[in-house]
Amino acid sequence: MSTTRQPSEESGVAAPRPRGTAFLLAQLGAHAAGRFAERVAALGLTPPDVGLLRMIATRPGLSQRALATELGVVPSRVVTLIDQLDGKGLVERRRSTEDRRNHALHLSADGQRVLAEIGTVAGEHEADICAGLDDAERAVLTGLLERIAERQGLTPGVHPGYRGMAKGRPR
Amino acid sequence: MSTTRQPSEESGVAAPRPRGTAFLLAQLGAHAAGRFAERVAALGLTPPDVGLLRMIATRPGLSQRALATELGVVPSRVVTLIDQLDGKGLVERRRSTEDRRNHALHLSADGQRVLAEIGTVAGEHEADICAGLDDAERAVLTGLLERIAERQGLTPGVHPGYRGMAKGRPR
DNA sequence: TATTGTTATACTCTATAACTATA
DNA sequence: TATAGTTATAGAGTATAACAATA
């Protein structure tokens, strides 16, 4: 193992190692997402679960269809995810009285407790990731990230991972 | 579709929408990774392909085993990935004369051309993601990101996505 | 006929384990 | 026996399409 780490004597191609801001963002983002996944796994949840719970808490009574649209996900996937959360007793499906095709989604009491735990975990996660930066630096960083996010047209609070993108399969 | 977007009248739980720096990093990172995947897909490549090509260019003659260790990936996966790149004529497997169990990996002439194209694409990607920030702001952002990356113990140039993490499956 | 939710199915990605060929 | 590479197989995650109930 271990050879010296030099810019290809063979190919003569210049430094192929990615060092740009965009790569750092992707690298750090994947790291942060992974760490967060580990933390919520301790609560028996996956990141998508957390996203659904938060969305339902914010907009109780939402239909599965609306949720799918909101998150940019296919309806059948919402079924699977809600099935699991329902099975754990965290969310309830209530048949709408007006249109009985609809399932109005609500957090159960347990769901609300779990949501509170998620908040705690998210705080720890935030502190971990930002460790080493003082308050001023965090503010600067957050400001710059928000500007990029807005410029890129990202919906606040919606992780692109829900959209099954970030794969890019050619051939 | 569309209800007013308010902090849960029902649950009484406070703002469940993630707004922290860590979430922004994950969100933006997934976005950047997705956009990059789209770009290299135009070259008929996936992001993992790009990672391997860059690593092989940097350290020609590397064995598949060493590559797997370097990237934190299981050897069988390297076989699959190299199979594809080999099939496209971008990399060559050369039996080592010293230890004939080894395959020394090298970029072909085509592989080097493709690597140059990757460089172009990466530059466009970088410009796209950082659009809206001036040079000084980019420098500040990059500096802060690098400090976090170092603090988190990330290996420069190695995307955690190679490690199959960022999944976090409980139950 | 159109829509909500569901089920059935298939495909991609990735890991584990068994196998071969060299050492 | 140990190691590099390979093949076989299985699992998780996610999408597409067909279906049932309701409108």
Side-chain angles (χ1 to χ4, degrees), chain B:
Chain B
M1 189 187 292
S2 91
T3 328
T4 43
R5 184 166 298 190
Q6 296 205 339
S8 178
E9 328 81 48
E10 182 183 71
S11 64
V13 179
R17 169 153 307 171
R19 284 228 128 288
T21 312
F23 181 82
L24 269 169
L25 275 177
Q27 183 189 30
L28 227 36
H31 172 77
R35 296 279 296 161
F36 184 69
E38 289 173 11
R39 286 180 189 276
V40 297
L43 302 178
L45 299 172
T46 64
D49 290 336
V50 173
L52 292 218
L53 288 176
R54 289 208 247 226
M55 187 68 83
I56 295 169
T58 309
R59 304 173 58 180
L62 206 64
S63 73
Q64 295 186 190
R65 202 72 173 189
L67 192 54
T69 303
E70 201 79 16
L71 266 41
V73 168
V74 81
S76 66
R77 200 183 163 206
V78 172
V79 173
T80 307
L81 290 167
I82 296 293
D83 273 350
Q84 294 168 357
L85 294 175
D86 191 358
K88 291 181 183 175
L90 302 183
V91 310
E92 296 170 9
R93 285 191 245 233
R94 303 185 194 157
R95 277 285 177 207
S96 169
T97 47
E98 303 143 350
D99 185 338
R100 299 229 309 281
R101 291 173 300 183
N102 274 269
H103 274 157
L105 300 173
H106 295 268
L107 249 50
S108 69
D110 271 4
Q112 291 178 33
R113 272 189 286 275
V114 168
L115 188 65
E117 295 180 51
I118 290 172
T120 303
V121 162
E124 295 167 357
H125 175 60
E126 175 81 8
D128 171 24
I129 295 296
C130 294
L133 303 187
D134 63 34
D135 287 356
E137 291 168 331
R138 285 190 205 195
V140 170
L141 175 59
T142 305
L144 291 171
L145 293 179
E146 279 173 344
R147 274 174 55 196
I148 294 180
E150 186 179 13
R151 177 97 177 205
Q152 294 289 319
L154 298 184
T155 306
V158 176
H159 194 290
Y162 298 136
R163 302 202 351 259
M165 66 107 80
K167 283 299 167 53
R169 67 195 72 84
R171 99 172 25 209

Side-chain angles (χ1 to χ4, degrees), chain A residues 74 76-77 99-101 163-164:
Chain A
V74 83
S76 65
R77 199 182 164 206
D99 185 338
R100 300 229 308 281
R101 291 173 302 184
R163 303 204 348 261

